[in-house]
Amino acid sequence: MYRNIITLLAAGLFLLQLAYGQTADIVLYNGKIFTSDTTLLWVEALAIEGNKIKAIGSTASIKELIGKETKTIDLKGKTVVPGFNDAHEHLGWKPPIGVSFKPGVDFITGLSGVQALDSIARLVKTTPKGEWIEGEFGLLIRNDPSLRREALDKVAPHHPVILL
C-alpha cells in the first residue's frame, strides 16, 4: 500500500514538474559563475531556459532542475563570465603594403576642423596622388561637422585620408 502511494506521489511530482516547466534547457554546474549582482557576485551553477537565466545557486540546488532533455555542462571549476559587448574597438591600423605615409598631422594639440582641413590641404600639395595622408586628432574636432568625408574629399580628392 505504501509503495503504491509513494509511486503515485513520485509520478504526481514528475507531472507537476513537467506542467510547470520546472526543468531547464541547459544547466552549468561545478563552476565559478560571475553574476554581476552585488548581493551575490559568484555562484556554483546556473540554469537556462530558452534565452534567459532561470535560476542561479549551488550545484545541488540547480541540479534539481535537470530533466530528461536538459543539456548539462560540468564546468569542472572553470570560471564563467557574461558575454561582453564593447561598443567600440581600439584596433591598430597599418596601411596596405606598398602605400607610403606622410608624417602625421598633429591634431592632438587642439586644432579646429578648419585648421585640420588646412593642414591636410597643405600636405596634399607635396604628396603624390594616391598616397595616404594620416593624422591624429583631439577632442576639439572629434564632433566638428566641418570635418566629415565630404570636406575631406574636397581638400584631398586624390588621396586616401585616415584620421585617428
Side-chain angles (χ1 to χ4, degrees), residues 93 101-108 111 116 119-120 123 132-138 141 147 152 160-164:
W93 188 86
F101 266 79
K102 282 306 221 178
V105 179
D106 185 10
F107 295 149
I108 274 289
L111 296 175
S119 295
I120 293 167
L123 282 173
W132 284 88
I133 296 174
E134 174 196 19
E136 294 183 2
F137 63 92
I141 65 170
L147 195 62
L152 292 172
V161 176
I162 183 166
L163 301 176
L164 304 169

Side-chain angles (χ1 to χ4, degrees), residues 1-132:
M1 173 88 168
Y2 289 111
R3 189 178 204 181
N4 289 341
I5 292 173
I6 290 172
T7 303
L8 284 173
L9 283 173
L13 287 172
F14 177 73
L15 290 173
L16 275 173
Q17 221 178 13
L18 289 177
Y20 290 101
Q22 295 301 311
T23 60
D25 296 330
I26 303 171
V27 166
L28 288 76
Y29 63 95
N30 287 335
K32 186 175 180 182
I33 301 168
F34 181 68
T35 68
S36 300
D37 181 347
T38 56
T39 61
L40 184 64
L41 282 176
W42 298 93
V43 294
E44 292 178 326
L46 69 81
I48 301 169
E49 185 174 349
N51 63 354
K52 296 189 181 201
I53 294 175
K54 178 181 181 107
I56 59 173
S58 68
T59 293
S61 68
I62 298 302
K63 275 190 164 185
E64 292 178 11
L65 299 174
I66 295 174
K68 286 193 307 187
E69 304 293 318
T70 303
K71 177 180 178 180
T72 60
I73 301 172
D74 183 353
L75 297 171
K76 299 178 183 173
K78 292 186 176 117
T79 301
V80 174
V81 294
F84 294 104
N85 179 8
D86 189 0
H88 68 281
E89 296 288 336
H90 293 271
L91 299 175
W93 188 86
K94 292 183 180 179
I97 295 173
V99 178
S100 65
F101 266 79
K102 282 306 221 178
V105 179
D106 185 10
F107 295 149
I108 274 289
T109 58
L111 296 175
S112 69
V114 172
Q115 290 170 317
L117 288 171
D118 181 60
S119 295
I120 293 167
R122 281 188 278 117
L123 282 173
V124 163
K125 293 176 185 175
T126 60
T127 305
K129 287 182 180 180
E131 287 191 13
W132 284 88

